[in-house]
Amino acid sequence: MIQFTSTHYLLRSLFAVFGLLGTALFYLLFSKYAIGISPDSVSYISVARHLLDGSGFICYDGYPYVLQAPLYPILLSVVSIVTALDPLLSAGYVNAALFGLIVYFSGVLFTKHLKSLPLALLGSAATLFSFILVQASLIALSEPLFILLTIAALIFFENYRLNKKISSLLGFSVVVALACLTRYVGVILIVTGSICIFAFLKNTVVLKLKHVCLFLSVSFLPAAFWIARNYYSSGTLVGQRSASSFSFKENFFFTLQTFFKWYSPLEKSEMDMLISLSLLLVCVIIAIFLLVKFNSANRQFLSMGSIFLFVIFYAGMILISSTTTAFDKIDNRLLSPLFIPVTLLVFSIIDKTAQWLKEYINEGVLSIVIILELTLWIKYQTSTTKATLRTFIAQNGCEYSGREWKDNSVIGFLKDNREITRSYALYSNVPEAVYLLANINTKWSPPKTNYNSPTLLNMQPSLAGMWSEKNGTCLVWFTNVDRKFLFTLEELAENSNLQLIADLKDGSIYTISEK
């Protein structure tokens, strides 16, 4: 078990300073500019609002909230109760606090696993300036909460591995349960935790089984209740899913490309990435050899095993699920929970390699070279983060909170002509924007396929009964968004009667009825 010295306490103080700086940065940013809002953000905010008004887990389109896990909107609603702010505003303060906590606890995680304290300090600094984490925190999404809970889970497991106390196991289990309630992919922490408990603890088989059963009971039970609720509400476990548009090969290279961009600004071809991956595997083999040479392989594997397994299982889960199920293209958002664990693995290899090289190279020279290389990498992170923040400020926000959507002519028309909402039921190709910016409940226009999937739902718009709302139906169509899973305006016109109400710069508004 690590014995904390005054140096460790000084490091934790520095981690706290880094965390407070990160929180202050986002607090100032969101005080002047609204937090970024994506389509998923609108779902979270609408659910939080419905929780506050007693409607329950209902999305902006009126359907049960099942596609995402519930903890982030619950958190937004709780903070809104405390602050008396709308969830749209409280989301900014929540993400600011989450970013600071991520920076602090990443430093704690680095300290637990790295022998070199300067490397741990650089790791925390890299988290503060990381464009991956800054991008994730600029938008009202569940990723920052999931990243924080993942770091906390890895810290709790290391505490449990070292002291073997039931209290530490319960703490680990509760954090994993919260992660599963934040994102469904949190189930990977359950898989990782179960294997680690059985493989890395020096207990009898019977005791290991008891601990695994306790862990599974606590960590999975809340998610099981939520999934059962989903099935009762919608007839699906985690929402309707369909086939992916991307092949395994495409997703594999999307994943590699994302990882390489974290550590190098250079563009790489598929062959370059394969060569780099091969070299990386060679480095891992060399690192294992060095661990054996220093007679510390078993101890180091026990320490880093949980980190390594989580990275492998999570990346594998994203790769496989994105190949079998329709998701967005694999990018920084989907892989952001791996940034800190992967960086920790890289730093661990650097740490062990440096210990071996000290036998052949002057320690002072070696330290200068390592610090210089890592400083250049942090400079790359910082410059990309600055560019991200400049873009955010120039656009006065991000996505639906940005200037382009705030000045949208269709949204402006709906705000100025409220009688439309009293006379018609609204459908749209961007219903979340209408809900968020015009405060009008709106349903989806007819889909041709499921989201980001080639699987056809309808060969042609089956509109029977769809446009027969009691007060008539209005179609709000935006031209600045192209959603290929929806029927186009031309396809809708072939199968229904469209009567133009307003032709605007950013789209059109029609009354629509069955032909």
Side-chain angles (χ1 to χ4, degrees):
M1 185 178 295
I2 295 176
Q3 297 296 319
F4 287 100
T5 63
S6 58
T7 303
H8 284 87
Y9 287 117
L10 176 61
L11 270 179
R12 292 211 172 191
S13 298
L14 288 173
F15 299 155
V17 170
F18 288 165
L20 289 172
L21 284 173
T23 295
L25 167 68
F26 277 96
Y27 177 82
L28 292 173
L29 193 66
F30 294 147
S31 295
K32 187 171 183 180
Y33 309 98
I35 190 171
I37 303 295
S38 72
D40 284 347
S41 305
V42 181
S43 295
Y44 296 133
I45 290 167
S46 65
V47 172
R49 287 173 173 171
H50 288 139
L51 288 173
L52 289 172
D53 67 22
S55 302
F57 291 97
I58 301 297
C59 208
Y60 61 86
D61 56 7
Y63 290 105
Y65 175 76
V66 295
L67 283 174
Q68 289 99 7
L71 189 58
Y72 187 64
I74 290 174
L75 178 61
L76 293 183
S77 64
V78 170
V79 174
S80 293
I81 291 173
V82 174
T83 60
L85 294 173
D86 183 82
L88 180 61
L89 297 176
S90 66
Y93 299 110
V94 167
N95 276 27
L98 290 174
F99 183 80
L101 291 171
I102 289 170
V103 172
Y104 174 77
F105 283 107
S106 67
V108 173
L109 181 66
F110 276 71
T111 304
K112 283 185 172 293
H113 291 279
L114 294 176
K115 201 169 185 180
S116 170
L117 297 184
L119 274 181
L121 183 61
L122 284 172
S124 181
T127 304
L128 174 62
F129 297 114
S130 165
F131 67 88
I132 298 97
L133 299 178
V134 168
Q135 288 173 0
S137 301
L138 280 173
I139 303 176
L141 294 170
S142 61
E143 272 70 19
L145 179 58
F146 184 76
I147 292 169
L148 175 62
L149 291 170
T150 297
I151 296 169
L154 295 173
I155 292 172
F156 269 102
F157 177 78
E158 184 63 10
N159 290 339
Y160 164 64
R161 186 185 70 82
L162 293 173
N163 63 34
K164 302 177 180 62
K165 292 181 179 179
I166 291 295
S167 58
S168 296
L169 175 60
L170 287 174
F172 173 54
S173 305
V174 169
V175 171
V176 171
L178 293 175
C180 292
L181 289 175
T182 303
R183 289 184 63 197
Y184 292 133
V185 75
V187 69
I188 289 301
L189 284 167
I190 296 179
V191 175
T192 303
S194 300
I195 293 175
C196 289
I197 291 170
F198 205 84
F200 299 155
L201 264 71
K202 296 179 180 179
N203 287 326
T204 64
V205 173
V206 173
L207 188 58
K208 287 180 179 180
L209 286 173
K210 288 181 179 179
H211 282 206
V212 169
C213 289
L214 176 61
F215 168 67
L216 290 174
S217 299
V218 175
S219 61
F220 185 65
L221 194 60
F225 280 121
W226 174 255
I227 291 171
R229 169 263 174 196
N230 287 349
Y231 189 77
Y232 177 78
S233 300
S234 68
T236 65
L237 298 179
V238 290
Q240 187 176 11
R241 309 283 173 165
S242 55
S244 174
S245 299
F246 302 111
S247 67
F248 180 85
K249 179 184 176 182
E250 288 175 317
N251 283 320
F252 178 75
F253 283 108
F254 291 155
T255 302
L256 283 185
Q257 186 179 49
T258 301
F259 281 143
F260 284 124
K261 281 187 176 180
W262 290 355
Y263 301 101
S264 171
L266 301 177
E267 293 291 334
K268 293 182 181 292
S269 66
E270 290 185 358
M271 182 57 68
D272 290 336
M273 288 190 283
L274 287 175
I275 292 172
S276 300
L277 180 62
S278 300
L279 291 174
L280 180 61
L281 291 175
V282 170
C283 291
V284 171
I285 293 171
I286 293 173
I288 293 173
F289 167 77
L290 294 175
L291 291 175
V292 173
K293 178 181 174 65
F294 281 101
N295 297 317
S296 60
N298 186 55
R299 174 172 52 81
Q300 191 68 17
F301 182 68
L302 289 176
S303 174
M304 298 301 297
S306 59
I307 310 292
F308 179 76
L309 287 179
F310 172 71
V311 169
I312 295 298
F313 289 155
Y314 184 92
M317 178 70 170
I318 293 296
L319 183 58
I320 293 171
S321 59
S322 294
T323 302
T324 59
T325 308
F327 285 120
D328 290 324
K329 176 183 172 182
I330 294 177
D331 58 6
N332 285 336
R333 178 188 172 185
L334 287 178
L335 294 176
S336 58
L338 289 183
F339 175 74
I340 292 170
V342 169
T343 301
L344 175 54
L345 289 174
V346 172
F347 277 34
S348 179
I349 292 173
I350 293 173
D351 196 12
K352 287 301 171 184
T353 304
Q355 290 181 46
W356 173 63
L357 289 176
K358 281 192 294 188
E359 296 183 7
Y360 310 99
I361 301 175
N362 179 272
E363 185 175 352
V365 173
L366 183 61
S367 297
I368 291 173
V369 170
I370 292 174
I371 291 174
L372 180 61
E373 288 182 350
L374 292 178
T375 301
L376 288 174
W377 173 62
I378 293 175
K379 183 181 178 182
Y380 160 60
Q381 293 281 328
T382 304
S383 63
T384 310
T385 295
K386 285 181 179 179
T388 300
L389 293 176
R390 280 196 295 267
T391 301
F392 183 89
I393 292 171
Q395 296 176 350
N396 201 33
C398 181
E399 297 192 44
Y400 294 140
S401 68
R403 183 177 291 109
E404 178 184 354
W405 276 99
K406 288 177 180 175
D407 297 337
N408 187 279
S409 58
V410 176
I411 296 296
F413 183 88
L414 291 172
K415 287 180 177 179
D416 294 337
N417 295 272
R418 290 291 179 179
E419 67 275 6
I420 290 179
T421 64
R422 292 189 290 270
S423 304
Y424 300 98
L426 266 60
Y427 289 77
S428 176
N429 63 328
V430 195
E432 69 275 18
V434 179
Y435 166 81
L436 181 78
L437 301 172
N439 196 28
I440 303 170
N441 290 327
T442 308
K443 296 180 180 180
W444 283 94
S445 61
K448 185 186 305 182
T449 70
N450 279 324
Y451 177 74
N452 269 5
S453 173
T455 305
L456 284 173
L457 291 176
N458 301 292
M459 293 299 292
Q460 62 180 9
S462 178
L463 308 178
M466 189 160 193
W467 308 131
S468 58
E469 300 277 357
K470 183 177 180 181
N471 295 326
T473 305
C474 183
L475 178 66
V476 180
W477 196 266
F478 295 88
T479 55
N480 60 332
V481 174
D482 181 22
R483 287 179 161 165
K484 299 186 184 303
F485 65 95
L486 300 176
F487 283 104
T488 65
L489 190 61
E490 292 74 19
E491 290 168 330
L492 292 175
E494 291 176 2
N495 295 272
S496 57
N497 295 312
L498 291 177
Q499 184 72 39
L500 183 66
I501 294 178
D503 187 13
L504 305 161
K505 181 183 72 172
D506 300 305
S508 306
I509 301 175
Y510 305 85
T511 59
I512 188 166
S513 59
E514 294 179 27
K515 210 167 218 183

